[in-house]
Amino acid sequence: MSSKKKTQEPDADVSMGDVPAADTEVAVADVNDPAMLAFEEQRIRILPGSLATAASFEFQKEDHTLGNALRPEVEFCGYSIPHPSEEVMNIRIQTYEGTTAVEALEKGFNDLMDLCDVVAEKFVAAREENVSRMES
Amino acid sequence: MDYDPMVMDAEAMGPSVKITEAGAQHVDFELQNVDLAFANSLRRVVLAEVPTMAVDLVEVEANTSVLADEFIAHRLGLIPLNSKNVDDVSYSRDCDNCDNYCDQCSVTLTLHARCTGDEIMKVYARDLVVDQGRPNQWVGNPVITDVDGLGTIICKLRKDQELRMKCIAKKGIAKEHAKWAPVAAVGFEYDPHNKLKHTDLWYETDAEKEWPKSKYAEWEEPPQEGEPFDYDAAPDRFYFELETVGNLDPDAVVQQGIKVLQQKLAAVIQDLTEGEGGANGDAYGGAPRSPDVGMNGGNWQDQGYTTPFGSGNASAWGGGATTPFGATPYGQNGSGWS
């Protein structure tokens, strides 16, 4: 760090106090940068050794809530949480010819999203019905 | 998923919800035609990921009571605070307007109590004074449901003992701390006759006689005498029972729960689709492209939830801390995705 500082100001004798201050400023700017936020939020990656029709995915900061609910229509799908104290979940998907694991995963998530929509809708309807029943 | 109406027979038309009982603080409902995993996801999300308000910071100006500062701070944290329309409140940790806390990401409650009489004085949640300037008119009000209008007891004071503190309530989720839980209890049961044999009942002579039937047993057909076991059967009726702590209406908790689940999904779907735009295969020698880090600059701070615990964890990962997991044969774990 000090050498970097020296190249900028070759003649200045930089006191130790200045350096951390400059560092903190840079870090704060980075946090507010949308690109940095997106960068930080990249939570999915395909694990090495994956093929188009047989892939393993690693999800950061996801758990059983997502892993178990996901049920794509594929040849094989399974998930695991390798260690309970790490917020990581792995999903393995193997598909038949004609579709890829990534497509199947995406379709699985989209279907789950639609299921949520339907359940939310049904719940609101049931609530309305219950309210009118209580009033009558 | 078996919810496509096209493949359903006439009787089962996708998921259905029936509310069997509801009150100010509880709701019982039956969820039909979804799979067990979905019912469990809904339960998990309601239990741990629906945001509410709770006291998170306490500035103690005076405490001459018998209880230690942190003891009282803990008690204050556990007081249920009204969280209606908590979406109006932003998370304090990613509030753009302040470095610490402000009107948009917190509610301030002041507590000032001093015992002047000879009798022991009790300090209740009603003694918390909610300051002006908060995201909406409900958020942060202590939940008071008892007939006397007292609320939760905080402390007892003897003569001349005093409490003077400023409580900062923030938005959070129960995954981070249980004080943010919207529910006292949430659970579901299924298959009251145990036809699926998911439960192995302990018994002395006859499980049928020794175990009381669930109240939902009469909702479903009891097994016939000598009925063969159906290996293909799967549970499809789930009886939920949910009780709130009073900070949100029970129906709001369920709706928020589904919303949170959808936000989680949206974040993951976005991550997945945006990642397809960029090429990133080379890192793994021609393996399928992993989601690219240089995304299209999508602005999506409002997905899912992250706790300080979680982000601390993540930075440790990105920072190349060598966990046993990081040192797998695949190598370069931390740097691979960040």
Side-chain angles (χ1 to χ4, degrees):
Chain A
M1 179 47 70
S2 61
S3 66
K4 189 175 151 200
K5 197 79 187 172
K6 268 175 195 156
T7 52
Q8 288 164 351
E9 299 165 296
D11 299 323
D13 183 17
V14 183
S15 74
M16 286 295 283
D18 294 341
V19 180
D23 262 2
T24 336
E25 260 175 29
V26 170
V28 168
D30 275 353
V31 167
N32 291 328
D33 182 359
M36 271 307 289
L37 282 167
F39 183 78
E40 266 188 356
E41 288 296 340
Q42 189 65 40
R43 299 179 300 150
I44 309 171
R45 72 183 185 102
I46 296 176
L47 293 171
S50 298
L51 308 169
T53 58
S56 302
F57 303 85
E58 182 193 86
F59 289 72
Q60 304 274 340
K61 296 188 211 163
E62 291 299 345
D63 55 17
H64 301 279
T65 307
L66 213 66
N68 200 18
L70 182 76
R71 298 292 160 104
E73 286 162 35
V74 289
E75 184 196 8
F76 173 85
C77 179
Y79 81 103
S80 81
I81 289 169
H83 195 283
S85 50
E86 285 175 337
E87 289 184 295
V88 172
M89 174 196 66
N90 291 338
I91 293 183
R92 173 74 178 176
I93 294 179
Q94 287 169 212
T95 59
Y96 296 110
E97 291 296 317
T99 181
T100 66
V102 177
E103 280 168 7
L105 182 68
E106 235 176 280
K107 184 172 182 305
F109 283 131
N110 283 321
D111 286 354
L112 196 52
M113 186 70 119
D114 294 343
L115 174 61
C116 286
D117 279 332
V118 174
V119 172
E121 191 184 297
K122 297 277 180 177
F123 183 83
V124 172
R127 195 192 86 97
E128 299 295 327
E129 197 203 325
N130 193 58
V131 168
S132 58
R133 196 175 59 206
M134 301 274 265
E135 279 169 358
S136 62
Chain B
M1 295 278 170
D2 291 345
Y3 57 88
D4 185 356
M6 299 305 287
V7 297
M8 290 299 199
D9 51 12
E11 241 177 295
M13 288 292 287
S16 77
V17 177
K18 222 183 288 168
I19 294 176
T20 54
E21 210 191 302
Q25 300 210 50
H26 75 285
V27 62
D28 296 352
F29 63 96
E30 183 193 359
L31 181 59
Q32 260 188 67
N33 297 323
V34 297
D35 55 6
L36 178 55
F38 180 82
N40 194 37
S41 284
L42 181 60
R43 181 193 65 83
R44 285 175 63 94
V45 108
V46 160
L47 183 68
E49 294 185 63
V50 169
T52 60
M53 296 295 288
V55 170
D56 196 36
L57 269 178
V58 180
E59 295 169 6
V60 181
E61 287 163 41
N63 173 20
T64 47
S65 76
V66 292
L67 301 182
D69 293 1
E70 41 277 72
F71 195 111
I72 293 174
H74 179 242
R75 291 184 68 77
L76 288 165
L78 295 176
I79 295 169
L81 301 178
N82 195 325
S83 307
K84 192 175 176 185
N85 293 358
V86 78
D87 289 346
D88 298 340
V89 190
S90 50
Y91 283 101
S92 191
R93 64 181 146 272
D94 41 47
C95 180
D96 299 324
N97 302 299
C98 61
D99 289 331
N100 196 9
Y101 58 85
C102 66
D103 286 355
Q104 269 138 66
C105 62
S106 70
V107 177
T108 304
L109 301 105
T110 336
L111 179 64
H112 189 181
R114 186 188 174 89
C115 179
T116 47
D118 291 325
E119 298 264 299
I120 299 282
M121 182 184 139
K122 289 173 182 163
V123 184
Y124 291 98
R126 64 151 181 207
D127 300 318
L128 289 162
V129 181
V130 185
D131 284 14
Q132 290 304 305
R134 48 178 167 159
N136 70 43
Q137 55 172 307
W138 301 287
V139 113
N141 282 338
V143 171
I144 293 168
T145 49
D146 55 316
V147 279
D148 300 325
L150 300 170
T152 324
I153 194 162
I154 297 167
C155 186
K156 289 182 185 177
L157 298 178
R158 205 188 157 201
K159 190 175 187 183
D160 290 334
Q161 289 179 343
E162 186 184 16
L163 280 183
R164 202 164 67 231
M165 35 191 71
K166 191 173 155 194
C167 315
I168 319 299
K170 293 179 178 178
K171 183 162 93 163
I173 59 169
K175 215 179 184 179
E176 182 178 342
H177 192 292
K179 69 186 176 185
W180 278 297
V183 291
V186 58
F188 65 84
E189 59 175 274
Y190 61 93
D191 187 25
H193 297 291
N194 198 25
K195 284 179 180 171
L196 302 168
K197 305 272 182 246
H198 286 194
T199 310
D200 185 13
L201 295 170
W202 181 92
Y203 60 91
E204 286 191 356
T205 51
D206 184 8
E208 200 62 28
K209 288 200 184 89
E210 290 162 33
W211 286 91
K213 280 281 174 232
S214 154
K215 69 172 173 178
Y216 297 108
E218 54 202 71
W219 291 52
E220 290 185 16
E221 281 295 308
Q224 302 298 308
E225 191 72 39
E227 185 181 306
F229 180 72
D230 181 359
Y231 291 93
D232 297 322
D236 68 341
R237 298 177 74 177
F238 304 95
Y239 307 98
F240 273 83
E241 293 183 352
L242 182 153
E243 182 189 330
T244 73
V245 292
N247 44 17
L248 284 169
D249 287 336
D251 57 308
V253 172
V254 178
Q255 288 176 49
Q256 286 292 309
I258 298 172
K259 208 176 106 189
V260 168
L261 193 53
Q262 288 190 303
Q263 283 171 334
K264 271 171 113 63
L265 286 164
V268 168
I269 290 168
Q270 178 153 9
D271 210 344
L272 217 52
T273 48
E274 298 237 331
E276 273 173 23
N280 190 26
D282 48 334
Y284 302 110
R289 293 167 303 172
S290 79
D292 189 35
V293 288
M295 296 195 311
N296 311 330
N299 190 20
W300 52 307
Q301 290 95 314
D302 195 31
Q303 39 40 51
Y305 297 96
T306 48
T307 60
F309 185 71
S311 50
N313 211 359
S315 59
W317 271 77
T322 46
T323 60
F325 190 68
T328 55
Y330 310 122
Q332 53 163 317
N333 204 323
S335 57
W337 61 278
S338 61

